[in-house]
Amino acid sequence: LALQVQGLVMFETEEAVEYSHRFMRYLILSYVLCLRRISKVIRETFPSHSSLIAARLATLEELEVMEKEGELDMVWWIPLGWCMTMTKNARHKQKIIPSDHKEILRGVVKFKEGLESVEGHDHIQVPPVYKQVWTYSYSLTS
């Protein structure tokens, strides 16, 4: 998506640059919120609202809007909706090559589907016996 935005946004105005920065910020925010439940590293890096704000991934107002819909980790898709709306509006304001805005929209949908797939793996628990088998086989090869 970063390459699509770079190639399809007309960076002739400050508005276009702002669109690009906000678009990428929303993508990364969705990624972090989705994976925060799954990844210990991301959870430790972004444990709170203040950490998201300090990293400039979100503003307090944006987090408040999202929390009205539910727990942040469960509504990770909201910033992707904002990306879609921004892209539609950017097309009308001539920030994006008019005939190609649909490519960016398709990219956002594909990104969301990828995150949904990853999120689906969060519910699959690895049976304890697999860990025991791995530990046993590792000890045999050492």
Side-chain angles (χ1 to χ4, degrees):
L1 275 170
L3 293 175
Q4 284 181 324
V5 169
Q6 182 65 31
L8 299 176
V9 172
M10 296 182 282
F11 290 98
E12 298 164 357
T13 65
E14 186 62 34
E15 281 184 325
V17 173
E18 173 62 27
Y19 161 82
S20 175
H21 289 174
R22 185 175 291 181
F23 183 91
M24 293 310 299
R25 184 169 62 85
Y26 287 160
L27 287 178
I28 295 168
L29 176 60
S30 287
Y31 177 85
V32 166
L33 291 176
C34 180
L35 294 184
R36 192 163 68 169
R37 286 188 5 223
I38 302 167
S39 169
K40 181 179 178 183
V41 173
I42 293 177
R43 192 170 36 256
E44 289 173 352
T45 306
F46 301 103
S48 65
H49 290 14
S50 59
S51 61
L52 294 169
I53 294 168
R56 296 175 38 186
L57 290 179
T59 64
L60 182 59
E61 295 80 20
E62 291 166 347
L63 294 175
E64 288 173 351
V65 167
M66 292 175 65
E67 282 188 317
K68 288 179 184 175
E69 297 298 322
E71 187 180 335
L72 280 182
D73 295 345
M74 300 304 289
V75 294
W76 55 264
W77 48 267
I78 290 177
L80 297 178
W82 296 340
C83 286
M84 301 284 265
T85 302
M86 284 175 34
T87 301
K88 182 180 76 171
N89 293 338
R91 183 193 76 171
H92 295 300
K93 294 180 181 180
Q94 298 298 319
K95 292 181 212 166
I96 299 175
I97 298 171
S99 61
D100 292 332
H101 78 284
K102 290 181 182 176
E103 293 302 318
I104 294 175
L105 296 177
R106 281 189 201 101
V108 172
V109 169
K110 189 173 180 180
F111 185 76
K112 181 179 181 283
E113 289 170 350
L115 288 178
E116 286 172 339
S117 174
V118 169
E119 183 187 39
H121 294 289
D122 177 39
H123 306 294
I124 301 170
Q125 296 293 325
V126 177
V129 72
Y130 287 176
K131 186 175 180 181
Q132 293 168 358
V133 169
W134 183 86
T135 303
Y136 178 71
S137 62
Y138 180 75
S139 66
L140 290 177
T141 59
S142 298

